[in-house]
Amino acid sequence: MRKNIVAGNWKMNTTVPEGVQLAKDVCEAVAAAGELKCDVIMGVPFTHLTAVCETIGTANVGLAAQNCADHTSGAYTGEVSAPMVASTGAGYVILGHSERRGYYNETAEMLKEKVDLALANGLKVIFCCGESLEERENGTFKDVIAAEIRDSLFHLSAEQFKEIVIAYEPIWAIGTGKTATSDQAQEIHAFIRGLLTEQFGAQVADDTTILYGGSCKPSNAPELFAKPDIDGGLIGGASLKAADFMGIVTAF
Ligand code: PGA
Protein backbone atom coordinates (compact mmCIF):
# COMPACT_ATOMS: atom_id res chain seq x y z
CA MET A 1 0.00 0.00 0.00
CA ARG A 2 1.28 3.45 -0.88
CA LYS A 3 1.64 6.16 1.72
CA ASN A 4 -0.37 9.35 1.89
CA ILE A 5 1.86 12.37 2.43
CA VAL A 6 1.26 16.04 3.12
CA ALA A 7 4.49 17.98 2.63
CA GLY A 8 4.99 21.68 3.28
CA ASN A 9 7.19 23.71 0.95
CA TRP A 10 8.08 26.83 2.88
CA LYS A 11 10.01 28.24 -0.10
CA MET A 12 12.11 31.32 0.79
CA ASN A 13 10.10 32.27 3.86
CA THR A 14 10.81 32.67 7.59
CA THR A 15 13.98 33.52 9.49
CA VAL A 16 15.54 30.68 11.48
CA PRO A 17 13.74 31.61 14.75
CA GLU A 18 10.43 32.00 12.89
CA GLY A 19 10.96 28.67 11.18
CA VAL A 20 11.78 26.91 14.44
CA GLN A 21 8.59 28.33 15.95
CA LEU A 22 6.53 27.17 12.96
CA ALA A 23 8.10 23.70 13.16
CA LYS A 24 7.34 23.58 16.88
CA ASP A 25 3.72 24.54 16.23
CA VAL A 26 3.37 21.87 13.53
CA CYS A 27 4.96 19.16 15.71
CA GLU A 28 2.68 20.02 18.64
CA ALA A 29 -0.39 19.98 16.42
CA VAL A 30 0.64 16.64 14.91
CA ALA A 31 1.13 15.17 18.40
CA ALA A 32 -2.26 16.52 19.51
CA ALA A 33 -4.03 15.18 16.42
CA GLY A 34 -3.44 11.56 17.39
CA GLU A 35 -3.32 8.96 14.64
CA LEU A 36 -3.05 10.57 11.21
CA LYS A 37 -3.88 9.07 7.85
CA CYS A 38 -0.79 10.59 6.25
CA ASP A 39 2.90 11.25 6.81
CA VAL A 40 3.77 14.89 7.46
CA ILE A 41 6.90 16.53 6.03
CA MET A 42 8.23 20.08 6.29
CA GLY A 43 10.34 21.40 3.39
CA VAL A 44 12.47 24.18 4.83
CA PRO A 45 15.30 26.48 3.67
CA PHE A 46 18.86 25.07 3.90
CA THR A 47 19.72 27.44 6.74
CA HIS A 48 16.92 25.98 8.87
CA LEU A 49 17.55 22.26 8.42
CA THR A 50 19.71 21.59 11.48
CA ALA A 51 17.66 23.70 13.88
CA VAL A 52 14.34 22.34 12.60
CA CYS A 53 15.67 18.79 12.83
CA GLU A 54 16.47 19.42 16.52
CA THR A 55 13.03 20.94 17.01
CA ILE A 56 11.35 17.90 15.46
CA GLY A 57 13.25 15.60 17.81
CA THR A 58 11.25 12.42 18.17
CA ALA A 59 8.04 13.91 16.72
CA ASN A 60 6.54 11.99 13.85
CA VAL A 61 7.34 14.62 11.22
CA GLY A 62 9.74 14.33 8.28
CA LEU A 63 12.18 16.98 7.10
CA ALA A 64 12.99 17.99 3.52
CA ALA A 65 15.39 20.36 1.82
CA GLN A 66 14.02 22.26 -1.17
CA ASN A 67 16.95 21.58 -3.48
CA CYS A 68 20.45 20.11 -3.59
CA ALA A 69 23.46 20.59 -5.84
CA ASP A 70 24.22 18.53 -8.92
CA HIS A 71 27.74 17.91 -7.61
CA THR A 72 28.95 16.18 -4.43
CA SER A 73 31.56 18.68 -3.23
CA GLY A 74 34.19 21.13 -4.37
CA ALA A 75 34.44 24.60 -5.85
CA TYR A 76 30.76 25.43 -6.31
CA THR A 77 30.36 28.58 -4.25
CA GLY A 78 26.94 28.92 -2.67
CA GLU A 79 25.77 25.40 -3.45
CA VAL A 80 24.60 22.81 -0.91
CA SER A 81 25.21 19.14 -1.69
CA ALA A 82 23.10 16.04 -1.06
CA PRO A 83 25.57 14.69 1.56
CA MET A 84 25.37 18.05 3.36
CA VAL A 85 21.57 17.87 3.37
CA ALA A 86 21.63 14.27 4.59
CA SER A 87 24.06 15.19 7.38
CA THR A 88 21.51 17.60 8.89
CA GLY A 89 19.10 14.74 9.55
CA ALA A 90 16.77 15.55 6.65
CA GLY A 91 15.29 12.49 4.98
CA TYR A 92 13.90 14.12 1.85
CA VAL A 93 14.75 16.64 -0.83
CA ILE A 94 12.31 18.43 -3.13
CA LEU A 95 13.73 18.47 -6.67
CA GLY A 96 12.56 19.96 -9.95
CA HIS A 97 10.18 22.54 -8.54
CA SER A 98 8.93 24.75 -11.36
CA GLU A 99 10.40 27.81 -9.62
CA ARG A 100 13.84 26.18 -9.79
CA ARG A 101 13.33 25.06 -13.37
CA GLY A 102 12.02 28.49 -14.37
CA TYR A 103 14.07 31.00 -12.37
CA TYR A 104 17.32 29.04 -12.06
CA ASN A 105 17.28 27.24 -15.40
CA GLU A 106 17.40 23.74 -13.97
CA THR A 107 17.41 21.30 -16.86
CA ALA A 108 16.27 17.67 -17.00
CA GLU A 109 19.94 16.64 -17.20
CA MET A 110 20.86 18.58 -14.04
CA LEU A 111 17.86 17.14 -12.24
CA LYS A 112 18.92 13.64 -13.24
CA GLU A 113 22.28 14.29 -11.52
CA LYS A 114 20.56 15.72 -8.46
CA VAL A 115 18.20 12.73 -8.23
CA ASP A 116 21.15 10.32 -8.43
CA LEU A 117 23.12 12.18 -5.76
CA ALA A 118 20.11 12.44 -3.46
CA LEU A 119 19.43 8.69 -3.70
CA ALA A 120 23.12 7.84 -3.32
CA ASN A 121 23.10 9.79 -0.07
CA GLY A 122 20.01 8.12 1.33
CA LEU A 123 17.57 10.95 0.65
CA LYS A 124 14.09 10.29 -0.67
CA VAL A 125 13.14 12.61 -3.52
CA ILE A 126 9.93 14.59 -3.94
CA PHE A 127 10.15 15.18 -7.68
CA CYS A 128 7.99 17.97 -9.09
CA CYS A 129 6.52 18.17 -12.57
CA GLY A 130 3.78 20.22 -14.15
CA GLU A 131 2.78 22.29 -17.13
CA SER A 132 2.50 26.04 -17.74
CA LEU A 133 -0.80 27.73 -18.59
CA GLU A 134 0.27 27.95 -22.23
CA GLU A 135 1.00 24.21 -22.33
CA ARG A 136 -2.34 23.46 -20.67
CA GLU A 137 -4.16 25.61 -23.24
CA ASN A 138 -2.32 24.38 -26.34
CA GLY A 139 -2.91 20.76 -25.36
CA THR A 140 0.75 19.71 -24.98
CA PHE A 141 0.57 19.33 -21.19
CA LYS A 142 0.66 15.55 -21.04
CA ASP A 143 3.73 15.44 -23.29
CA VAL A 144 5.45 18.04 -21.11
CA ILE A 145 4.73 16.14 -17.90
CA ALA A 146 5.77 12.82 -19.43
CA ALA A 147 9.05 14.30 -20.68
CA GLU A 148 9.88 15.84 -17.30
CA ILE A 149 9.40 12.48 -15.58
CA ARG A 150 11.04 10.41 -18.29
CA ASP A 151 14.11 12.60 -18.76
CA SER A 152 15.09 12.81 -15.08
CA LEU A 153 13.75 9.57 -13.57
CA PHE A 154 13.47 6.78 -16.13
CA HIS A 155 17.15 5.87 -15.89
CA LEU A 156 16.45 4.60 -12.36
CA SER A 157 15.87 0.95 -11.54
CA ALA A 158 12.50 -0.12 -10.15
CA GLU A 159 14.24 -0.63 -6.80
CA GLN A 160 15.62 2.93 -6.82
CA PHE A 161 12.29 4.33 -7.90
CA LYS A 162 10.75 3.21 -4.61
CA GLU A 163 12.51 6.22 -3.01
CA ILE A 164 10.71 8.67 -5.32
CA VAL A 165 7.56 10.63 -4.55
CA ILE A 166 6.03 12.51 -7.49
CA ALA A 167 4.41 15.92 -7.05
CA TYR A 168 2.18 17.13 -9.87
CA GLU A 169 2.10 20.91 -9.69
CA PRO A 170 0.47 22.75 -12.60
CA ILE A 171 2.42 26.03 -12.77
CA TRP A 172 -0.75 28.00 -13.39
CA ALA A 173 -2.07 26.85 -10.02
CA ILE A 174 0.99 27.64 -7.90
CA GLY A 175 0.49 30.61 -5.61
CA THR A 176 -2.31 31.90 -7.83
CA GLY A 177 -5.31 30.82 -5.79
CA LYS A 178 -6.38 28.92 -8.92
CA THR A 179 -6.51 25.20 -8.07
CA ALA A 180 -6.79 22.48 -10.67
CA THR A 181 -10.20 20.89 -10.28
CA SER A 182 -10.10 17.53 -8.56
CA ASP A 183 -11.04 15.92 -11.90
CA GLN A 184 -8.22 17.71 -13.76
CA ALA A 185 -5.72 16.64 -11.08
CA GLN A 186 -7.03 13.06 -10.98
CA GLU A 187 -6.71 12.80 -14.76
CA ILE A 188 -3.02 13.74 -14.63
CA HIS A 189 -2.28 11.60 -11.57
CA ALA A 190 -3.78 8.57 -13.35
CA PHE A 191 -1.79 9.48 -16.47
CA ILE A 192 1.44 9.63 -14.43
CA ARG A 193 0.67 6.31 -12.76
CA GLY A 194 0.15 4.85 -16.24
CA LEU A 195 3.61 6.07 -17.33
CA LEU A 196 5.14 4.51 -14.21
CA THR A 197 3.35 1.24 -14.91
CA GLU A 198 4.86 1.07 -18.40
CA GLN A 199 8.36 1.80 -17.14
CA PHE A 200 8.55 0.13 -13.73
CA GLY A 201 5.61 -2.28 -13.64
CA ALA A 202 2.21 -2.20 -11.96
CA GLN A 203 3.45 -2.90 -8.44
CA VAL A 204 5.92 -0.01 -8.31
CA ALA A 205 3.40 2.33 -9.96
CA ASP A 206 0.73 1.33 -7.49
CA ASP A 207 3.08 1.88 -4.54
CA THR A 208 4.23 5.35 -5.70
CA THR A 209 2.87 8.32 -3.80
CA ILE A 210 1.71 11.07 -6.18
CA LEU A 211 1.04 14.45 -4.57
CA TYR A 212 -0.93 17.38 -5.94
CA GLY A 213 0.43 20.91 -5.48
CA GLY A 214 -0.93 24.31 -6.41
CA SER A 215 -3.11 26.48 -4.17
CA CYS A 216 -4.06 23.48 -2.04
CA LYS A 217 -5.78 24.62 1.15
CA PRO A 218 -7.99 23.20 3.92
CA SER A 219 -11.13 24.01 1.92
CA ASN A 220 -10.19 22.13 -1.27
CA ALA A 221 -7.93 19.38 0.13
CA PRO A 222 -10.74 16.93 1.08
CA GLU A 223 -12.11 16.84 -2.47
CA LEU A 224 -8.65 16.49 -4.03
CA PHE A 225 -7.50 13.80 -1.57
CA ALA A 226 -10.70 11.81 -2.11
CA LYS A 227 -9.58 11.02 -5.68
CA PRO A 228 -8.14 7.53 -6.11
CA ASP A 229 -4.76 8.59 -7.53
CA ILE A 230 -4.17 11.70 -5.38
CA ASP A 231 -2.13 10.61 -2.38
CA GLY A 232 -1.68 13.95 -0.67
CA GLY A 233 -0.28 17.39 -1.33
CA LEU A 234 2.79 19.58 -1.66
CA ILE A 235 1.73 22.74 0.08
CA GLY A 236 3.29 26.18 -0.40
CA GLY A 237 1.47 29.20 1.02
CA ALA A 238 -0.79 27.22 3.34
CA SER A 239 2.20 25.47 4.96
CA LEU A 240 3.35 28.73 6.56
CA LYS A 241 0.57 28.73 9.16
CA ALA A 242 0.42 25.65 11.36
CA ALA A 243 -3.38 25.78 11.57
CA ASP A 244 -3.84 25.91 7.78
CA PHE A 245 -1.26 23.19 7.25
CA MET A 246 -2.95 20.97 9.83
CA GLY A 247 -6.29 21.63 8.16
CA ILE A 248 -4.81 19.95 5.08
CA VAL A 249 -3.03 17.18 7.03
CA THR A 250 -6.34 16.18 8.59
CA ALA A 251 -8.24 16.35 5.28
CA PHE A 252 -7.92 12.60 4.62
P1 PGA B 1 1.14 26.97 -3.33
O1 PGA B 1 2.57 26.35 -3.78
O2 PGA B 1 0.51 25.97 -2.41
O3 PGA B 1 1.48 28.25 -2.64
O4 PGA B 1 0.36 27.17 -4.58
C1 PGA B 1 2.71 24.98 -4.00
C2 PGA B 1 4.14 24.71 -4.39
O5 PGA B 1 4.73 25.48 -5.15
O6 PGA B 1 4.74 23.70 -3.95
PDB file of all heavy atoms in Angstrom, residues 9 11 97 99 169 173-176 213-216 234-238, ligand 1:
ATOM      1  N   ASN A   9       6.064  23.110   1.676  1.00  0.00           N
ATOM      2  CA  ASN A   9       7.188  23.712   0.954  1.00  0.00           C
ATOM      3  C   ASN A   9       7.211  25.178   1.367  1.00  0.00           C
ATOM      4  O   ASN A   9       6.452  25.981   0.837  1.00  0.00           O
ATOM      5  CB  ASN A   9       6.985  23.558  -0.558  1.00  0.00           C
ATOM      6  CG  ASN A   9       8.037  24.286  -1.363  1.00  0.00           C
ATOM      7  OD1 ASN A   9       9.059  24.723  -0.826  1.00  0.00           O
ATOM      8  ND2 ASN A   9       7.799  24.424  -2.669  1.00  0.00           N
ATOM      9  N   LYS A  11       9.331  27.359   0.865  1.00  0.00           N
ATOM     10  CA  LYS A  11      10.010  28.236  -0.103  1.00  0.00           C
ATOM     11  C   LYS A  11      10.962  29.183   0.634  1.00  0.00           C
ATOM     12  O   LYS A  11      11.495  28.801   1.679  1.00  0.00           O
ATOM     13  CB  LYS A  11       8.984  28.985  -0.969  1.00  0.00           C
ATOM     14  CG  LYS A  11       7.972  28.010  -1.609  1.00  0.00           C
ATOM     15  CD  LYS A  11       7.145  28.606  -2.691  1.00  0.00           C
ATOM     16  CE  LYS A  11       6.188  27.549  -3.228  1.00  0.00           C
ATOM     17  NZ  LYS A  11       5.415  28.021  -4.359  1.00  0.00           N
ATOM     18  N   HIS A  97      11.302  21.607  -8.687  1.00  0.00           N
ATOM     19  CA  HIS A  97      10.178  22.539  -8.537  1.00  0.00           C
ATOM     20  C   HIS A  97      10.189  23.505  -9.722  1.00  0.00           C
ATOM     21  O   HIS A  97      11.251  23.918 -10.194  1.00  0.00           O
ATOM     22  CB  HIS A  97      10.291  23.293  -7.210  1.00  0.00           C
ATOM     23  CG  HIS A  97       9.029  24.016  -6.873  1.00  0.00           C
ATOM     24  ND1 HIS A  97       8.674  25.203  -7.472  1.00  0.00           N
ATOM     25  CD2 HIS A  97       8.014  23.699  -6.037  1.00  0.00           C
ATOM     26  CE1 HIS A  97       7.501  25.592  -7.006  1.00  0.00           C
ATOM     27  NE2 HIS A  97       7.074  24.702  -6.139  1.00  0.00           N
ATOM     28  N   GLU A  99       9.691  26.550  -9.877  1.00  0.00           N
ATOM     29  CA  GLU A  99      10.400  27.812  -9.619  1.00  0.00           C
ATOM     30  C   GLU A  99      11.899  27.629  -9.844  1.00  0.00           C
ATOM     31  O   GLU A  99      12.590  28.547 -10.301  1.00  0.00           O
ATOM     32  CB  GLU A  99      10.092  28.288  -8.186  1.00  0.00           C
ATOM     33  CG  GLU A  99       8.656  28.816  -8.101  1.00  0.00           C
ATOM     34  CD  GLU A  99       8.012  28.717  -6.739  1.00  0.00           C
ATOM     35  OE1 GLU A  99       8.717  28.502  -5.734  1.00  0.00           O
ATOM     36  OE2 GLU A  99       6.770  28.844  -6.667  1.00  0.00           O
ATOM     37  N   GLU A 169       2.404  19.516 -10.036  1.00  0.00           N
ATOM     38  CA  GLU A 169       2.097  20.906  -9.694  1.00  0.00           C
ATOM     39  C   GLU A 169       1.922  21.730 -10.968  1.00  0.00           C
ATOM     40  O   GLU A 169       2.917  22.216 -11.529  1.00  0.00           O
ATOM     41  CB  GLU A 169       3.233  21.500  -8.862  1.00  0.00           C
ATOM     42  CG  GLU A 169       3.499  20.779  -7.565  1.00  0.00           C
ATOM     43  CD  GLU A 169       4.188  21.687  -6.555  1.00  0.00           C
ATOM     44  OE1 GLU A 169       5.251  22.243  -6.874  1.00  0.00           O
ATOM     45  OE2 GLU A 169       3.640  21.851  -5.467  1.00  0.00           O
ATOM     46  N   ALA A 173      -1.340  26.949 -11.295  1.00  0.00           N
ATOM     47  CA  ALA A 173      -2.075  26.853 -10.023  1.00  0.00           C
ATOM     48  C   ALA A 173      -1.212  27.205  -8.820  1.00  0.00           C
ATOM     49  O   ALA A 173      -1.722  27.290  -7.701  1.00  0.00           O
ATOM     50  CB  ALA A 173      -2.637  25.438  -9.860  1.00  0.00           C
ATOM     51  N   ILE A 174       0.094  27.416  -9.038  1.00  0.00           N
ATOM     52  CA  ILE A 174       0.988  27.639  -7.904  1.00  0.00           C
ATOM     53  C   ILE A 174       0.927  29.088  -7.442  1.00  0.00           C
ATOM     54  O   ILE A 174       1.250  30.006  -8.209  1.00  0.00           O
ATOM     55  CB  ILE A 174       2.448  27.263  -8.262  1.00  0.00           C
ATOM     56  CG1 ILE A 174       2.546  25.763  -8.531  1.00  0.00           C
ATOM     57  CG2 ILE A 174       3.399  27.674  -7.143  1.00  0.00           C
ATOM     58  CD1 ILE A 174       3.912  25.303  -8.976  1.00  0.00           C
ATOM     59  N   GLY A 175       0.505  29.279  -6.212  1.00  0.00           N
ATOM     60  CA  GLY A 175       0.487  30.606  -5.610  1.00  0.00           C
ATOM     61  C   GLY A 175      -0.505  31.561  -6.258  1.00  0.00           C
ATOM     62  O   GLY A 175      -0.460  32.763  -6.027  1.00  0.00           O
ATOM     63  N   THR A 176      -1.390  31.037  -7.086  1.00  0.00           N
ATOM     64  CA  THR A 176      -2.310  31.901  -7.830  1.00  0.00           C
ATOM     65  C   THR A 176      -3.716  31.897  -7.238  1.00  0.00           C
ATOM     66  O   THR A 176      -4.553  32.690  -7.637  1.00  0.00           O
ATOM     67  CB  THR A 176      -2.446  31.410  -9.295  1.00  0.00           C
ATOM     68  OG1 THR A 176      -2.880  30.032  -9.261  1.00  0.00           O
ATOM     69  CG2 THR A 176      -1.123  31.506 -10.029  1.00  0.00           C
ATOM     70  N   GLY A 213       0.030  19.617  -6.035  1.00  0.00           N
ATOM     71  CA  GLY A 213       0.430  20.911  -5.476  1.00  0.00           C
ATOM     72  C   GLY A 213      -0.065  22.047  -6.337  1.00  0.00           C
ATOM     73  O   GLY A 213      -0.112  21.942  -7.578  1.00  0.00           O
ATOM     74  N   GLY A 214      -0.446  23.125  -5.691  1.00  0.00           N
ATOM     75  CA  GLY A 214      -0.926  24.310  -6.409  1.00  0.00           C
ATOM     76  C   GLY A 214      -2.180  24.840  -5.748  1.00  0.00           C
ATOM     77  O   GLY A 214      -3.269  24.321  -5.989  1.00  0.00           O
ATOM     78  N   SER A 215      -1.985  25.849  -4.871  1.00  0.00           N
ATOM     79  CA  SER A 215      -3.115  26.477  -4.166  1.00  0.00           C
ATOM     80  C   SER A 215      -3.983  25.468  -3.414  1.00  0.00           C
ATOM     81  O   SER A 215      -5.199  25.616  -3.340  1.00  0.00           O
ATOM     82  CB  SER A 215      -3.959  27.314  -5.125  1.00  0.00           C
ATOM     83  OG  SER A 215      -3.169  28.348  -5.688  1.00  0.00           O
ATOM     84  N   CYS A 216      -3.333  24.452  -2.866  1.00  0.00           N
ATOM     85  CA  CYS A 216      -4.061  23.485  -2.041  1.00  0.00           C
ATOM     86  C   CYS A 216      -4.258  24.107  -0.655  1.00  0.00           C
ATOM     87  O   CYS A 216      -3.338  24.695  -0.093  1.00  0.00           O
ATOM     88  CB  CYS A 216      -3.250  22.199  -1.945  1.00  0.00           C
ATOM     89  SG  CYS A 216      -4.135  20.864  -1.147  1.00  0.00           S
ATOM     90  N   LEU A 234       1.599  18.768  -1.931  1.00  0.00           N
ATOM     91  CA  LEU A 234       2.791  19.580  -1.664  1.00  0.00           C
ATOM     92  C   LEU A 234       2.261  21.003  -1.517  1.00  0.00           C
ATOM     93  O   LEU A 234       1.679  21.562  -2.451  1.00  0.00           O
ATOM     94  CB  LEU A 234       3.803  19.463  -2.809  1.00  0.00           C
ATOM     95  CG  LEU A 234       5.113  20.237  -2.635  1.00  0.00           C
ATOM     96  CD1 LEU A 234       5.839  19.842  -1.357  1.00  0.00           C
ATOM     97  CD2 LEU A 234       6.040  20.002  -3.835  1.00  0.00           C
ATOM     98  N   ILE A 235       2.462  21.550  -0.326  1.00  0.00           N
ATOM     99  CA  ILE A 235       1.730  22.742   0.081  1.00  0.00           C
ATOM    100  C   ILE A 235       2.675  23.925   0.242  1.00  0.00           C
ATOM    101  O   ILE A 235       3.598  23.862   1.070  1.00  0.00           O
ATOM    102  CB  ILE A 235       1.026  22.497   1.444  1.00  0.00           C
ATOM    103  CG1 ILE A 235       0.369  21.113   1.517  1.00  0.00           C
ATOM    104  CG2 ILE A 235       0.047  23.623   1.755  1.00  0.00           C
ATOM    105  CD1 ILE A 235      -0.692  20.855   0.469  1.00  0.00           C
ATOM    106  N   GLY A 236       2.457  24.987  -0.518  1.00  0.00           N
ATOM    107  CA  GLY A 236       3.286  26.180  -0.402  1.00  0.00           C
ATOM    108  C   GLY A 236       2.719  27.134   0.633  1.00  0.00           C
ATOM    109  O   GLY A 236       2.910  26.974   1.834  1.00  0.00           O
ATOM    110  N   GLY A 237       1.984  28.131   0.166  1.00  0.00           N
ATOM    111  CA  GLY A 237       1.474  29.197   1.021  1.00  0.00           C
ATOM    112  C   GLY A 237       0.805  28.703   2.293  1.00  0.00           C
ATOM    113  O   GLY A 237       1.063  29.234   3.389  1.00  0.00           O
ATOM    114  N   ALA A 238      -0.032  27.693   2.173  1.00  0.00           N
ATOM    115  CA  ALA A 238      -0.790  27.219   3.340  1.00  0.00           C
ATOM    116  C   ALA A 238       0.058  26.401   4.318  1.00  0.00           C
ATOM    117  O   ALA A 238      -0.443  25.993   5.364  1.00  0.00           O
ATOM    118  CB  ALA A 238      -1.998  26.404   2.871  1.00  0.00           C
TER     119      ALA A 238
HETATM  120  P1  PGA B   1       1.144  26.973  -3.328  1.00  0.00           P
HETATM  121  O1  PGA B   1       2.571  26.351  -3.784  1.00  0.00           O
HETATM  122  O2  PGA B   1       0.515  25.969  -2.409  1.00  0.00           O
HETATM  123  O3  PGA B   1       1.485  28.253  -2.638  1.00  0.00           O
HETATM  124  O4  PGA B   1       0.357  27.165  -4.581  1.00  0.00           O
HETATM  125  C1  PGA B   1       2.715  24.981  -4.004  1.00  0.00           C
HETATM  126  C2  PGA B   1       4.144  24.705  -4.393  1.00  0.00           C
HETATM  127  O5  PGA B   1       4.732  25.477  -5.150  1.00  0.00           O
HETATM  128  O6  PGA B   1       4.736  23.696  -3.946  1.00  0.00           O
END
